Amino acid sequence: MNYNPLTEEIVKELESILGSKNVILDKEKMENYSHDETPEEYAHMPDVVITPTTAEQIAEVMKLANKHLIPVTPRGAGSGLSGGAIPTFGGILLSIEKMNKVLEIDYDNMMIVVEPGLVTNEINGLVEDKGLFFAGYPMSLLTCYIGGNIAENAGGGKAIKYGVTGQYVMGLEIVTPTGEIVELGGKNVKDVTGYDIKKLMIGSEGTLGVITKAIIKLSPKPKFATDLLVLFKDVESAIKIVPTIISEGGIVPTSIEFMDKLSVHTTCDYLNEHLPYQKAGSMLLIEVDGTNESVVELDAETIGELCLENGAIEVYVADNFTTQERVWSVRRNIAEAFMVYSPEQSLEDIVVPIGNIAKLMPEIEKISKKYDIKMPSYGHAGDGNLHTTLVKNPDTTMEEWFDIENKALKELYDAVYKLGGKLSGEHGIGLKRMKFMKDHLSETELMLMKKIKQAFDPNYIMNPGKIIE
Amino acid sequence: MNYNPLTEEIVKELESILGSKNVILDKEKMENYSHDETPEEYAHMPDVVITPTTAEQIAEVMKLANKHLIPVTPRGAGSGLSGGAIPTFGGILLSIEKMNKVLEIDYDNMMIVVEPGLVTNEINGLVEDKGLFFAGYPMSLLTCYIGGNIAENAGGGKAIKYGVTGQYVMGLEIVTPTGEIVELGGKNVKDVTGYDIKKLMIGSEGTLGVITKAIIKLSPKPKFATDLLVLFKDVESAIKIVPTIISEGGIVPTSIEFMDKLSVHTTCDYLNEHLPYQKAGSMLLIEVDGTNESVVELDAETIGELCLENGAIEVYVADNFTTQERVWSVRRNIAEAFMVYSPEQSLEDIVVPIGNIAKLMPEIEKISKKYDIKMPSYGHAGDGNLHTTLVKNPDTTMEEWFDIENKALKELYDAVYKLGGKLSGEHGIGLKRMKFMKDHLSETELMLMKKIKQAFDPNYIMNPGKIIE
């Protein structure tokens, strides 16, 4: 696509639509909007940052951008891990930060209506009193925006029981790339009235429109939780326990987090944590929750027994805040522990069928050895979603690292696809994984995606360079 | 669209693709395929019925149909309630009845891979031993096909706890309207690798492609269930209890079925059932299930108490098979009870936000009085999904009835939309509700649906006359 440069005239039109305080041209201020949480080599400066406050303003901006062929990149809190909000082609960066109002809390329907710029966890604070919570929350819920969660269909550590963001999005108001405002879905629990365009919007990374309002379903908040830290001698026995717990035990845990040997050892050393990890080839951190204390206890007990009957070396029960914090801190500090070794990393988000995690691990080890890099794997075993991380060997140059990263990723994704997996489970394609789409998706699937993009955004101005080339 | 007639030459090509035993031209045999469970005025004969056995055959048929501009209408078991499988424009009726194999039961991933023509309940029979079941099942699961369930995103009476079909569809193989075979999704629990085309296919009523394979997620089967039949003096108090049970009680029931006064009275008379319904303005049938017997009992007790504290007249507990059958038989026999009064009916599938059911009831009563027809309302209160039924007054002629039906439906849908509702919760638009799409959906939403249809099916040959005009 040939986009046009931003002219002074267009800036004036933006100011007349949005008011001058919502149009930012200051380079220093714009720098903030040039990146998300991906490494800085992905950063790109926008030509202008706008902070609209209404859907009507956004509709006008979209019409203007179509007229002049200027790219528009929507952005939430910038906590993304795939570069989805980076304005790769410059143009207009549309920050939803000022659209952060709670529009309605509807207890009769157990739903909340919010603007997209609301920090996700604020929902929980508001409805806690009524015994409710937003069950689709991602790991970054203290900083991320709900609009970004929807655009990325963000997951998290509790997806095995509660599913991901999309499951709780009942309705959306969006501004289409051509500047129409449309309401999709609503407060109806069931709805088969035509195509489910709302579901298509979820996870489309801001390439099919701007979310300006969301109706979110609330769920009963569990009152009790217990964590189990389970040591296994190898990956196979750790992974095999997942279907056993669910089908034989009849229990769907809240979380089943996996940590491989390398992750556990490095992090325990870093934290000076004295868990008897030496014997363990891998660890699971299993959480159960519920509204009834004795049932939660019973579930934890059943899971512990099933683990011990099926090859676990040891089961630690953490049923109070202190011990729970201790076991979760190992899981939470993995990335930081490896930062000490080398800050140059590629945090991946691969997903495979749960049953294939064990088959993937030797493939990862092979790649790690071949390229002489560390590749710790940890993440959401209950969902088959691993945050395998490529960590640069401090002895190599940056140039060598970029080359190694590229080759190792290609091989990693090849292995993942051979096992029926996908590029990304919850972080998205964004900018970071664009180059791998063609190698790993079928021509027909890519063609259908392209046709959908064209149907919504004929001029390719909406977050260009993401998902579709 | 101008479709071409089926020529002898095209029939020969079909026979060469499918084998002559899979090409049916016999009028008597074809009659079966001219209707589903909607009234006979919607029926339409196909020009040919085909029963392919592979995706490759279907792909070839689609290419042939595009070349000659012949409509193709896919069909499952014909148990649909909106006319979605009726070949409105004649042409090729594609029955998936011979594609009924179970391809894989994958216990490690708790998934089953099936062909679309499998009777839905067969899944449950196959995986019961391992403590698993398909949680997205519709009311007609003994006869319907899983492919039809997916095409319609079928719901059912247990959606409040388990959601609808779509939630359990992990992967699909489809043949596009232009004859490409494509795999969408897979066995990955999380997946944000590009647009979620699979979700768009679910509920698209066979207008965007033919489903040829599905990967279905299985869930742990609850071991115990208890039913409560709760009598309320009016609709308001019955509906108000739904959010109370979930947020205050912290319990998500398996079913919350609603029956209005007219439904209960007529059905109890028909069944000679002596429930003390005279005092009741409405009834709820509430089911709780779980893996732990004492928890299920406790949940039922809590719900019973909450009901009595919040205006229920009486609570009957049915915790054994005999009493459960007795209370459910009232719910199941409503349609039959009204058949005695008049077989000419329009079974609707309206959905409103749960909190608005009580506001809808007086509107329904107004319409019923205005047109002198009976309009019993019953269905899934926990989902806001009511099968309000228009029952012809035996004193009016058929001509009058069609006029009344049309006008009364228009007013019913107007009332539903004013309350934030939709045309259909689980039965689909099909042929039956096409004429109401334009009145009740926004121009932009219809335009986006049309663009999606064009992107997938440029020649409009795939199930024409459904969803999109």
Side-chain angles (χ1 to χ4, degrees):
Chain A
M1 289 298 299
N2 288 318
Y3 299 110
N4 290 322
L6 190 81
T7 62
E8 261 180 56
E9 197 193 319
I10 297 171
V11 171
K12 270 186 198 146
E13 288 198 60
L14 286 172
E15 285 173 341
S16 98
I17 295 168
L18 301 154
S20 58
K21 69 174 190 295
N22 291 319
V23 179
I24 301 165
L25 289 160
D26 178 272
K27 285 251 179 288
E28 210 171 308
K29 282 184 187 155
M30 286 204 294
E31 205 282 325
N32 250 333
Y33 299 89
S34 68
H35 61 84
D36 61 359
E37 294 291 321
T38 44
E40 67 182 49
E41 65 255 32
Y42 294 104
H44 196 286
M45 280 291 278
D47 295 316
V48 62
V49 172
I50 60 169
T51 55
T53 54
T54 68
E56 289 71 23
Q57 288 177 349
I58 296 173
E60 279 196 68
V61 169
M62 292 316 303
K63 281 176 188 154
L64 182 72
N66 270 291
K67 197 170 130 194
H68 297 288
L69 285 186
I70 310 281
V72 178
T73 302
R75 176 188 174 93
S79 56
L81 291 160
S82 60
I86 293 170
T88 322
F89 290 85
I92 300 168
L93 187 293
L94 192 164
S95 171
I96 53 159
E97 64 196 66
K98 290 190 181 168
M99 296 178 72
N100 60 359
K101 285 193 288 295
V102 175
L103 301 173
E104 188 195 357
I105 306 181
D106 177 350
Y107 288 114
D108 286 346
N109 289 300
M110 287 168 293
M111 291 178 197
I112 187 166
V113 185
V114 298
E115 288 189 328
L118 187 75
V119 170
T120 306
N121 198 42
E122 288 192 19
I123 295 173
N124 292 327
L126 287 164
V127 301
E128 208 175 15
D129 279 2
K130 295 269 182 179
L132 296 169
F133 82 126
F134 165 55
Y137 61 85
M139 300 293 257
S140 57
L141 83 167
L142 294 175
T143 53
C144 61
Y145 293 169
I146 187 71
N149 298 161
I150 298 167
E152 300 290 326
N153 198 12
K158 304 190 176 190
I160 182 172
K161 179 165 180 177
Y162 294 112
V164 295
T165 303
Q167 198 171 318
Y168 299 94
V169 179
M170 306 301 299
L172 289 177
E173 179 190 80
I174 65 161
V175 177
T176 67
T178 45
E180 292 90 14
I181 300 171
V182 60
E183 307 261 350
L184 303 169
K187 287 184 183 172
N188 303 292
V189 179
K190 286 174 181 167
D191 182 4
V192 290
T193 308
Y195 301 146
D196 199 343
I197 302 174
K198 177 193 71 207
K199 288 274 191 212
L200 185 64
M201 291 301 304
I202 296 165
S204 66
E205 305 189 4
T207 64
L208 300 179
V210 185
I211 296 162
T212 49
K213 196 163 84 182
I215 304 173
I216 305 289
K217 191 179 163 189
L218 303 168
S219 308
K221 189 180 156 79
K223 295 188 184 81
F224 305 95
T226 291
D227 293 286
L228 299 170
L229 187 70
V230 191
L231 277 56
F232 291 89
K233 69 172 198 308
D234 52 32
V235 181
E236 284 74 11
S237 46
I239 295 307
K240 260 202 164 341
I241 200 69
V242 178
T244 307
I245 292 170
I246 299 177
S247 56
E248 208 173 302
I251 302 161
V252 181
T254 320
S255 295
I256 305 185
E257 293 288 301
F258 168 80
M259 293 168 274
D260 71 356
K261 199 173 176 172
L262 179 60
S263 305
V264 175
H265 286 213
T266 309
T267 313
C268 283
D269 285 351
Y270 170 72
L271 292 174
N272 201 20
E273 170 58 70
H274 296 291
L275 290 169
Y277 60 81
Q278 270 78 4
K279 291 182 291 178
S282 67
M283 269 193 194
L284 290 185
L285 181 46
I286 304 175
E287 185 171 294
V288 279
D289 68 12
T291 44
N292 182 308
E293 192 167 13
S294 59
V295 175
V296 172
E297 271 170 27
L298 192 68
D299 283 353
E301 213 173 283
T302 308
I303 291 173
E305 279 162 17
L306 283 170
C307 287
L308 288 171
E309 282 163 22
N310 288 278
I313 300 172
E314 204 125 21
V315 176
Y316 295 89
V317 181
D319 53 4
N320 63 58
F321 186 77
T322 317
T323 54
Q324 280 173 341
E325 270 304 294
R326 194 176 150 203
V327 299
W328 274 98
S329 86
V330 176
R331 164 65 181 89
R332 273 198 297 260
N333 279 284
I334 298 173
E336 214 170 301
F338 282 95
M339 280 292 165
V340 176
Y341 175 72
S342 167
E344 300 300 331
Q345 305 185 355
S346 182
L347 170 61
E348 293 311 307
D349 180 42
I350 49 175
V351 61
V352 290
I354 305 170
N356 286 347
I357 295 179
K359 288 178 197 149
L360 181 65
M361 298 310 291
E363 300 300 320
I364 292 175
E365 215 175 307
K366 261 187 236 164
I367 300 168
S368 156
K369 277 191 184 143
K370 179 170 171 187
Y371 293 103
D372 191 21
I373 50 175
K374 294 204 182 196
M375 287 179 74
S377 284
Y378 60 96
H380 319 303
D383 316 317
N385 182 206
L386 291 186
H387 297 311
T388 300
T389 306
L390 284 63
V391 186
K392 177 180 172 290
N393 185 329
D395 298 338
T396 55
T397 65
M398 282 304 284
E399 212 185 344
E400 286 167 334
W401 162 241
F402 289 134
D403 183 52
I404 286 170
E405 185 189 9
N406 218 8
K407 285 178 182 158
L409 280 179
K410 171 88 176 67
E411 287 180 36
L412 175 65
Y413 292 138
D414 280 343
V416 163
Y417 269 76
K418 265 186 203 141
L419 293 167
K422 294 288 181 99
L423 294 177
S424 177
E426 57 182 18
H427 294 172
I429 298 306
L431 192 52
K432 195 170 183 294
R433 296 181 184 93
M434 268 301 295
K435 58 186 166 203
F436 300 104
M437 289 286 276
K438 252 196 304 203
D439 295 340
H440 298 288
L441 274 73
S442 75
E443 248 175 70
T444 306
E445 190 175 6
L446 284 171
M447 182 264 298
L448 289 174
M449 287 186 193
K450 202 171 166 182
K451 282 186 175 174
I452 290 170
K453 172 70 173 174
Q454 283 166 348
F456 279 72
D457 183 17
N459 293 322
Y460 276 77
I461 59 160
M462 192 95 242
N463 203 2
K466 316 294 163 56
I467 298 183
I468 305 295
E469 257 187 6
Chain B
M1 289 299 300
N2 288 318
Y3 299 109
N4 290 322
L6 190 82
T7 62
E8 262 180 55
E9 197 193 319
I10 297 170
V11 171
K12 269 186 198 147
E13 289 199 59
L14 286 172
E15 285 174 340
S16 100
I17 295 168
L18 301 153
S20 57
K21 70 173 189 295
N22 291 318
V23 180
I24 302 164
L25 288 160
D26 178 89
K27 285 252 179 286
E28 211 172 308
K29 281 184 188 158
M30 285 204 294
E31 203 282 324
N32 250 333
Y33 299 88
S34 67
H35 60 85
D36 60 1
E37 294 292 320
T38 44
E40 67 181 47
E41 65 256 29
Y42 295 104
H44 196 286
M45 281 290 280
D47 295 316
V48 61
V49 172
I50 61 168
T51 54
T53 54
T54 67
E56 288 72 21
Q57 287 176 349
I58 296 174
E60 278 196 68
V61 169
M62 291 316 304
K63 281 177 188 152
L64 182 72
N66 270 290
K67 196 170 132 197
H68 298 287
L69 284 185
I70 310 280
V72 179
T73 302
R75 177 187 174 93
S79 57
L81 292 161
S82 60
I86 294 170
T88 322
F89 290 85
I92 300 167
L93 189 291
L94 191 163
S95 171
I96 54 159
E97 65 196 65
K98 291 189 182 169
M99 295 177 73
N100 60 359
K101 285 193 287 296
V102 174
L103 302 172
E104 187 195 359
I105 307 182
D106 177 351
Y107 288 114
D108 285 345
N109 289 301
M110 287 169 293
M111 291 179 199
I112 186 165
V113 186
V114 297
E115 287 189 330
L118 186 74
V119 171
T120 306
N121 198 42
E122 288 192 21
I123 295 173
N124 293 327
L126 287 164
V127 300
E128 207 173 16
D129 279 3
K130 294 270 182 181
L132 296 169
F133 82 127
F134 165 54
Y137 61 85
M139 300 292 258
S140 57
L141 82 167
L142 294 174
T143 52
C144 61
Y145 294 169
I146 187 71
N149 298 162
I150 298 167
E152 300 290 326
N153 198 10
K158 304 192 176 189
I160 183 171
K161 179 164 179 178
Y162 295 112
V164 296
T165 303
Q167 198 172 317
Y168 300 94
V169 179
M170 305 303 298
L172 289 177
E173 179 189 80
I174 65 162
V175 177
T176 67
T178 45
E180 292 90 13
I181 300 171
V182 61
E183 306 261 350
L184 303 169
K187 288 185 183 172
N188 303 292
V189 180
K190 286 175 182 167
D191 182 3
V192 290
T193 308
Y195 301 147
D196 198 344
I197 302 173
K198 177 194 71 206
K199 287 274 190 212
L200 185 64
M201 292 301 304
I202 296 165
S204 66
E205 305 188 6
T207 65
L208 300 179
V210 185
I211 296 161
T212 50
K213 196 164 83 180
I215 304 172
I216 304 289
K217 191 181 163 187
L218 303 168
S219 309
K221 190 180 156 77
K223 295 187 184 82
F224 305 95
T226 291
D227 292 286
L228 300 170
L229 187 70
V230 191
L231 276 55
F232 291 89
K233 70 172 199 307
D234 53 30
V235 181
E236 284 74 12
S237 46
I239 297 307
K240 261 204 163 337
I241 201 69
V242 178
T244 307
I245 292 169
I246 299 177
S247 55
E248 207 173 302
I251 302 160
V252 181
T254 320
S255 294
I256 304 185
E257 292 290 299
F258 168 80
M259 292 168 272
D260 71 358
K261 201 173 175 173
L262 179 61
S263 305
V264 175
H265 286 213
T266 309
T267 314
C268 283
D269 285 353
Y270 169 74
L271 292 174
N272 201 18
E273 169 59 69
H274 296 290
L275 291 169
Y277 60 81
Q278 270 78 4
K279 290 183 292 179
S282 68
M283 269 193 193
L284 291 184
L285 181 47
I286 305 174
E287 184 170 295
V288 279
D289 68 11
T291 43
N292 182 306
E293 191 167 14
S294 59
V295 175
V296 171
E297 271 171 29
L298 192 68
D299 283 353
E301 213 172 284
T302 308
I303 292 173
E305 279 163 17
L306 282 171
C307 287
L308 288 171
E309 283 163 22
N310 289 278
I313 300 172
E314 206 125 22
V315 176
Y316 296 89
V317 182
D319 52 5
N320 62 59
F321 185 76
T322 317
T323 54
Q324 281 174 340
E325 269 306 292
R326 195 176 148 202
V327 299
W328 274 97
S329 86
V330 178
R331 164 66 181 88
R332 273 199 295 257
N333 279 285
I334 299 173
E336 215 171 300
F338 282 95
M339 279 291 165
V340 176
Y341 175 73
S342 169
E344 300 299 332
Q345 306 184 355
S346 183
L347 170 62
E348 293 311 307
D349 180 41
I350 50 175
V351 61
V352 290
I354 304 170
N356 286 347
I357 295 179
K359 289 178 197 150
L360 181 66
M361 298 310 291
E363 301 298 320
I364 292 176
E365 217 175 305
K366 262 187 236 166
I367 299 167
S368 158
K369 278 191 183 144
K370 179 172 172 185
Y371 293 103
D372 192 21
I373 51 175
K374 294 204 182 198
M375 287 179 73
S377 284
Y378 59 95
H380 320 302
D383 316 318
N385 182 206
L386 291 185
H387 297 312
T388 300
T389 306
L390 284 62
V391 186
K392 177 179 172 291
N393 185 327
D395 298 340
T396 56
T397 66
M398 281 307 282
E399 213 186 341
E400 287 167 333
W401 161 241
F402 288 135
D403 183 51
I404 285 170
E405 184 189 8
N406 220 7
K407 285 178 181 159
L409 279 180
K410 171 87 174 69
E411 288 180 34
L412 175 64
Y413 291 140
D414 279 343
V416 164
Y417 270 75
K418 266 186 201 140
L419 293 168
K422 294 289 181 101
L423 293 176
S424 178
E426 57 183 17
H427 293 172
I429 298 305
L431 192 49
K432 198 171 181 293
R433 295 182 184 93
M434 266 301 294
K435 58 185 166 201
F436 299 104
M437 288 287 276
K438 251 197 301 200
D439 295 339
H440 297 287
L441 274 73
S442 74
E443 248 175 69
T444 306
E445 191 175 6
L446 285 170
M447 183 263 299
L448 289 174
M449 286 185 193
K450 201 171 166 182
K451 282 185 174 175
I452 290 169
K453 172 71 174 175
Q454 283 167 348
F456 279 75
D457 183 17
N459 293 322
Y460 275 79
I461 59 160
M462 191 96 242
N463 203 1
K466 316 294 162 56
I467 298 183
I468 304 296
E469 259 189 3

